[in-house]
């Protein structure tokens, strides 16, 4: 069992509940060591006194604030002393509707668990009340010498805690981006075609369909370099769509997303619902094309053409597949 990264008391009103904070997510990033080129010598980062060049032990390092020419030194214990209670207290200031918290404020997610079976009833009470009210508790607490603003919410019988950015940490997009379109406006035809494309590409959210293909390719690259083999390079990024070509690009996109989506009741390339096609006794054309060419050599097609066929066959997870994956999935769908 994992150990909590923080433990303290969760308070709402006069009710107090001892809880532990557990990391909810994990990273599967492949980590590399730094080596000097042409050797197998590791490169190490060391804490070095910039004046003497001597290495310094961690225990001899203190925090210093630059006050304009001189440093104000602060010991770690002094930071703990100014917030002894807050470092063990998670006090809910109030409750807000979940929709009121803009997604840009969310940072990291944690699981919150009761510190002991005897506190299960209080824990469950708060979880059920939050779920029924569709509210999130807003609180602050101190962890590792940092104060956090958090949102506490109920999720599938569990209390979840999301750290939030402070308001002054959110950058103003108008100050950060000098290429915003301003008053540029799409035509009614372009807007209608874009809405049609969104309808044709609509899907149910299933996170299991998505996976980190880049990390898989990094692993494949490492394995290939071990054996002296080569790996297929990624295709170049798509060229930007200019305003002149926008309508044609939208139309082609709708056609590619195509009528297979109509089998699930979604919009087709012509904007009609699937029911009208069924009443007319017509089967989705892209599926017929796939079935009518079982002898086609898929291995000789480009990734773009393979993707079109995968879209026509309505293969799940196709947007995350490599070229080889598309060939394999299409071949399997024909058997």
């Amino acid at each position: 069992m994992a150990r909590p990264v923080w433990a303290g008391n969760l308070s709402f009103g006069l009710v107090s509940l001892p809880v532990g904070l557990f990391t909810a997510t994990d990273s599967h990033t492949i980590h590399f060591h730094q080596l000097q080129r042409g050797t197998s010598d590791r490169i190490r980062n060391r804490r070095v006194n910039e004046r003497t060049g001597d290495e310094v032990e961690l225990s001899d390092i203190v925090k210093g604030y630059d006050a304009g020419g001189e440093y104000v030194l602060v010991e770690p214990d002094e930071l703990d002393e100014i917030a002894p209670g807050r470092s063990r207290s998670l006090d809910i200031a109030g409750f807000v509707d979940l929709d009121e918290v803009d997604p840009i404020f969310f940072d990291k997610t944690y699981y919150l668990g009761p510190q002991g079976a005897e506190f299960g009833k209080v824990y469950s009470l708060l979880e059920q009340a939050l779920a029924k009210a569709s509210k999130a508790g807003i609180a602050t607490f101190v962890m590792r010498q940092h104060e956090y603003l958090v949102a506490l919410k109920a999720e599938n019988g569990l209390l979840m805690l999301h750290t939030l950015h402070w308001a002054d940490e959110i950058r103003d997009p108008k100050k950060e981006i000098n290429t915003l379109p301003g008053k540029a406006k799409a035509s009614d035809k372009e807007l209608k075609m874009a809405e049609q494309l969104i309808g044709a590409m609509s899907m149910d959210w299933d996170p299991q369909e998505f996976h980190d293909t880049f990390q898989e390719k990094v692993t494949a690259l490492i394995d290939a370099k071990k054996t002296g083999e080569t790996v297929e390079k990624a295709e170049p990024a798509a060229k930007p769509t200019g305003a002149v070509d926008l309508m044609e690009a939208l139309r082609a996109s709708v056609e590619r997303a195509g009528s297979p989506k109509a089998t699930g009741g979604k919009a087709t390339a012509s904007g009609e619902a699937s029911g009208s096609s069924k009443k007319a006794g017509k089967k989705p054309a892209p599926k017929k094309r796939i079935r009518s060419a079982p002898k086609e050599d898929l291995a000789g097609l480009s990734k773009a053409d393979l993707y079109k066929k995968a879209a026509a066959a309505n293969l799940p997870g196709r947007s995350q597949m490599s070229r080889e994956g598309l060939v394999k999935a299409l071949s399997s769908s024909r058997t």
Side-chain angles (χ1 to χ4, degrees), residues 185-200 246-247 250-251 254 267-272:
K185 186 177 180 181
S187 68
D188 291 341
K189 288 184 178 180
E190 290 169 338
L191 182 59
K192 184 176 180 180
M193 187 65 74
E195 292 173 349
Q196 192 173 332
L197 175 58
I198 292 173
L246 179 57
M247 193 63 187
L250 286 168
R251 185 179 293 107
V254 171
T268 65
S270 61
E272 298 174 348

Side-chain angles (χ1 to χ4, degrees), residues 148-224:
Y148 293 90
L149 177 67
V150 300
L152 182 73
K153 57 178 287 193
E155 191 75 38
N156 299 322
L158 181 72
L159 288 177
M160 307 278 285
L161 185 141
H162 302 274
T163 57
L164 305 175
H165 292 290
W166 300 97
D168 59 2
E169 293 178 330
I170 306 300
R171 295 181 176 181
D172 184 347
K174 294 181 180 178
K175 294 181 179 179
E176 300 297 323
I177 309 172
N178 59 7
T179 55
L180 291 174
K183 296 183 179 180
K185 186 177 180 181
S187 68
D188 291 341
K189 288 184 178 180
E190 290 169 338
L191 182 59
K192 184 176 180 180
M193 187 65 74
E195 292 173 349
Q196 192 173 332
L197 175 58
I198 292 173
M201 295 181 65
S202 294
M203 63 181 187
D204 294 327
W205 165 238
D206 181 5
Q208 298 299 328
E209 282 197 15
F210 297 87
H211 55 281
D212 192 340
T213 58
F214 179 71
Q215 295 303 322
E216 293 175 356
K217 290 177 180 178
V218 172
T219 301
L221 174 63
I222 293 172
D223 292 340

Side-chain angles (χ1 to χ4, degrees), residues 68-241:
E70 63 176 327
Y71 285 99
V72 177
L73 302 183
V74 179
E75 296 286 349
D77 291 345
E78 292 178 305
L79 294 174
D80 292 333
E81 289 172 356
I82 62 176
R86 293 186 56 77
S87 63
R88 286 291 176 262
S89 179
L90 179 60
D91 297 321
I92 295 180
F95 298 91
V96 301
D97 291 334
L98 289 172
D99 294 340
E100 289 185 18
V101 185
D102 193 302
I104 195 173
F105 282 91
F106 286 92
D107 185 17
K108 193 171 182 179
T109 302
Y110 293 89
Y111 296 136
L112 207 61
Q115 291 288 80
E118 65 270 27
F119 302 107
K121 182 176 181 179
V122 181
Y123 180 93
S124 181
L125 172 67
L126 178 57
E127 186 278 326
Q128 291 178 56
L130 284 175
K132 189 171 183 179
S134 294
K135 297 277 189 178
I138 302 300
T140 58
F141 80 111
V142 175
M143 178 174 65
R144 298 169 181 166
Q145 300 175 351
H146 289 279
E147 184 172 18
Y148 293 90
L149 177 67
V150 300
L152 182 73
K153 57 178 287 193
E155 191 75 38
N156 299 322
L158 181 72
L159 288 177
M160 307 278 285
L161 185 141
H162 302 274
T163 57
L164 305 175
H165 292 290
W166 300 97
D168 59 2
E169 293 178 330
I170 306 300
R171 295 181 176 181
D172 184 347
K174 294 181 180 178
K175 294 181 179 179
E176 300 297 323
I177 309 172
N178 59 7
T179 55
L180 291 174
K183 296 183 179 180
K185 186 177 180 181
S187 68
D188 291 341
K189 288 184 178 180
E190 290 169 338
L191 182 59
K192 184 176 180 180
M193 187 65 74
E195 292 173 349
Q196 192 173 332
L197 175 58
I198 292 173
M201 295 181 65
S202 294
M203 63 181 187
D204 294 327
W205 165 238
D206 181 5
Q208 298 299 328
E209 282 197 15
F210 297 87
H211 55 281
D212 192 340
T213 58
F214 179 71
Q215 295 303 322
E216 293 175 356
K217 290 177 180 178
V218 172
T219 301
L221 174 63
I222 293 172
D223 292 340
K225 291 181 76 69
K226 286 180 182 178
T227 58
E229 299 177 2
T230 58
V231 294
E232 180 183 7
K233 294 184 178 180
E235 294 186 4
K239 295 180 180 180
T241 302

